[in-house]
């Protein structure tokens, strides 16, 4: 079978798309003889900021000369994006070989799509002689397949409301699940100033060393092009992150704290180089088409939508642009559109009050006229709050061509 056939096959090997729990995946991992995937492992959980934090960790470590693997999800265009070795997507034939090995080992044990892919990635990493592997949690943390691996450093970026059917309906419940990736007497890096108390209680209960943004490490602006990361006894002057969103400085700070928590040190220059070069598609990614600036973002939950809304308001009001936003969810529209002027009203220089934005459905944007933006007014800004489907259908292909 080729890769596309394998992906169709593994999609059918479990009756549920999600079934949290480690028993089945641990059983197959034992049959595979899986050990540690690299000399050092960092596992990253969180409601938002996981992918960006992984990108910063990967870029900084590689700038320091380390050989790095990264496992992330979901993908935008190709499944291969999920498994990277030395910043290169793993080739189809390598993934096919890994899937075949997992299939032979699982016998009659049902695995979900994510579990199957996680075991394949770990098998590939184990054979690559890596200095560092960075694993992004798929859902939650405690019962997620990547938690099969004991991390040297665990990271929880943020905790907010998402996947409530699986993780709980409040931050405390969700925090407990995400904190489950921490290990006894190992560092747990927390990327928000006020994490849920459940996260701190769990760290205390198992003896994990909680390293908190705003308490143990800090970030602050220096000038328009630079910022400072600091902890007690150490300080780094850094360039602005290439990733543009306001939370990216916190994500970069969290990545730095995680790397510095490892027993092996990186050269200081690696931090500046990695922060300046880390990239990730679909995170306030700016494209140009027919003179129109298009901003593409994967915001798909209330916390991410609030950050996107704040960025849009600052950018649009500063530049006096109209905005058309494609999104599939009413609550995203409420968060994004409140107080943003419609392009037509801006063109007529009319005052606006409250929710005046014009918008179409995301399906209309993606399926019928992907990122064409034919009816933008003047040089307005377009943004797709894509509920993590930024890379699907025509939008993904068009985005790849325009990059």
């Amino acid at each position: 079978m080729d890769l596309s056939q394998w992906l169709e096959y593994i999609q059918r090997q479990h009756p549920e798309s999600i079934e949290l729990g480690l028993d089945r995946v641990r059983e197959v991992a034992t049959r595979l003889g899986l050990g540690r995937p690299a000399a050092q492992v960092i596992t990253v959980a969180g409601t938002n900021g996981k992918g960006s934090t992984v990108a910063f960790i990967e870029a900084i470590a590689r700038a320091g000369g380390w050989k790095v693997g990264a496992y992330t999800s979901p993908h935008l265009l190709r499944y291969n994006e999920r498994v990277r070795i030395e910043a290169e997507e793993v080739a189809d034939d390598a993934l096919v070989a890994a899937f075949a090995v997992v299939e032979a080992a699982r016998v009659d044990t049902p695995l979900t799509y994510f579990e199957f892919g996680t075991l394949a990635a770990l098998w590939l990493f184990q054979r690559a002689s890596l200095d560092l592997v960075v694993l992004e949690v798929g859902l939650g943390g405690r019962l997620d397949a990547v938690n099969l691996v004991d991390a040297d450093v665990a990271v929880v970026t943020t905790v907010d409301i998402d996947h409530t059917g699986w993780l709980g309906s409040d931050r405390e419940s969700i925090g407990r699940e995400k904190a489950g990736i921490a290990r006894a007497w190992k560092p747990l890096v927390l990327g928000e100033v006020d994490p849920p108390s459940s996260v701190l209680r769990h760290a205390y209960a198992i003896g994990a060393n909680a390293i908190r943004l705003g308490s143990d490490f800090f970030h602050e602006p220096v000038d328009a092009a630079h910022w400072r990361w600091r902890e007690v006894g150490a300080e780094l002057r850094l360039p602005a992150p290439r990733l543009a969103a306001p939370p990216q400085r916190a994500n970069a700070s969290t990545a730095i704290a995680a790397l510095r928590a490892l027993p092996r040190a990186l050269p200081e220059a690696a931090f500046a180089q990695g922060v300046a070069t880390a990239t990730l598609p679909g995170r306030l990614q700016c494209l140009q088409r027919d003179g129109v600036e298009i901003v593409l973002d994967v915001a798909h939950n209330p916390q991410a939508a609030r950050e996107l809304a704040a960025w849009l308001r600052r950018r649009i009001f500063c530049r006096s642009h109209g905005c058309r936003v494609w999104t599939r969810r009413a609550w995203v529209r409420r968060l994004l559109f409140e107080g943003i002027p419609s392009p037509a009203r801006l063109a007529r220089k009319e005052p606006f009050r409250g929710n005046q934005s014009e918008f179409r459905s995301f399906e209309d944007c993606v399926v019928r006229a992907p990122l064409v933006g034919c009816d933008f007014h003047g040089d307005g800004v377009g943004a797709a709050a894509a509920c993590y489907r930024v890379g699907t259908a025509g939008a993904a292909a068009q985005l790849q061509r325009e990059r």
Side-chain angles (χ1 to χ4, degrees):
M1 293 190 290
D2 63 18
L3 180 57
S4 62
Q5 291 169 324
W6 267 108
L7 293 174
E8 291 176 4
Y9 175 77
I10 67 176
Q11 186 77 58
R12 301 193 301 268
Q13 298 316 300
H14 196 285
E16 304 291 338
S17 59
I18 299 172
E19 183 176 341
L20 297 178
L22 296 177
D23 291 343
R24 289 170 296 102
V25 72
R26 184 177 286 119
E27 179 182 346
V28 180
T30 300
R31 293 178 194 156
L32 284 167
L34 289 182
R36 288 183 63 75
Q40 304 172 105
V41 177
I42 297 176
T43 299
V44 182
T47 303
N48 293 297
K50 295 190 299 293
S52 299
T53 301
V54 169
F56 281 120
I57 292 171
E58 183 182 16
I60 294 167
R62 293 193 68 246
W66 292 2
K67 189 176 181 182
V68 182
Y71 177 59
T72 61
S73 62
H75 57 277
L76 293 182
L77 297 171
R78 299 168 300 279
Y79 184 91
N80 313 60
E81 297 167 25
R82 296 181 177 225
V83 189
R84 297 190 300 275
I85 295 176
E86 284 293 80
E88 295 291 333
E89 297 171 9
V90 170
D92 286 11
D93 57 354
L95 286 168
V96 165
F99 288 147
V101 171
V102 175
E103 174 65 8
R106 79 175 183 88
V107 191
D108 57 353
T109 302
L111 294 174
T112 67
Y113 184 89
F114 183 76
E115 291 168 342
F116 215 114
T118 300
L119 289 168
L122 295 175
W123 185 84
L124 289 165
F125 291 151
Q126 186 173 280
R127 282 150 182 76
S129 301
L130 300 172
D131 298 303
L132 173 68
V133 157
V134 194
L135 302 173
E136 179 185 348
V137 167
L139 176 63
R142 181 175 63 93
L143 298 176
D144 188 83
V146 304
N147 203 31
L148 177 71
V149 179
D150 292 328
D152 297 289
V153 176
V155 176
V156 176
T157 55
T158 62
V159 178
D160 207 84
I161 306 303
D162 202 6
H163 304 297
T164 54
W166 297 100
L167 305 179
S169 59
D170 55 75
R171 288 184 76 229
E172 293 298 323
S173 301
I174 295 169
R176 276 192 294 274
E177 292 298 317
K178 296 187 184 300
I181 64 169
R183 293 297 186 266
W185 315 113
K186 298 285 188 178
L188 170 61
V189 178
L190 305 176
E192 59 185 340
V193 173
D194 186 25
S197 58
S198 60
V199 175
L200 300 174
R201 283 197 302 269
H202 180 73
Y204 179 79
I206 66 171
N209 176 25
I211 303 172
R212 297 173 58 182
L213 174 64
S215 298
D216 303 292
F217 64 98
F218 308 84
H219 64 85
E220 55 205 18
V222 173
D223 55 40
H226 297 89
W227 60 288
R228 181 183 295 108
W229 183 95
R230 62 182 176 87
E231 62 181 0
V232 176
E235 183 177 298
L236 296 169
R237 180 183 169 95
L238 300 163
R242 183 174 176 182
L243 290 167
Q248 294 299 359
R249 202 168 69 198
N251 292 334
S253 297
T254 303
I256 292 168
L259 285 163
R260 289 176 65 89
L262 290 169
R264 182 178 169 186
L266 284 161
E268 187 169 315
F271 294 98
Q273 183 179 340
V275 166
T277 58
T279 61
L280 193 62
R283 276 68 172 182
L284 290 182
Q285 183 177 3
C286 296
L287 311 173
Q288 290 286 334
R289 184 172 180 85
D290 300 331
V292 175
E293 183 179 21
I294 300 173
V295 182
L296 199 60
D297 194 87
V298 296
H300 65 282
N301 55 52
Q303 183 186 52
R306 287 192 296 269
E307 293 289 349
L308 177 57
W311 184 88
L312 284 170
R313 290 182 186 118
R314 286 195 297 271
R315 188 175 177 91
I316 293 162
F317 291 155
C318 288
R319 297 174 59 178
S320 298
H321 282 163
C323 177
R324 183 180 300 274
V325 179
W326 292 293
T327 178
R328 305 195 316 156
R329 297 184 180 183
W331 58 262
V332 177
R333 287 200 294 273
R334 287 196 298 272
L335 284 167
L336 293 182
F337 299 159
E338 185 64 31
I340 295 180
S342 73
R345 284 180 175 270
L346 279 173
R348 295 194 299 268
K349 295 183 170 48
E350 291 183 14
F352 63 92
R353 296 179 179 83
N355 179 4
Q356 298 290 341
S357 280
E358 301 173 16
F359 56 90
R360 291 181 177 181
S361 71
F362 181 64
E363 290 86 351
D364 190 54
C365 163
V366 171
V367 178
R368 297 178 192 154
L371 294 185
V372 172
C374 297
D375 55 357
F376 278 97
H377 295 253
D379 59 345
V381 178
C387 304
Y388 81 80
R389 297 172 185 257
V390 162
T392 59
Q398 186 69 32
L399 182 144
Q400 185 70 4
R401 287 195 293 270
E402 293 291 331
R403 269 206 314 242

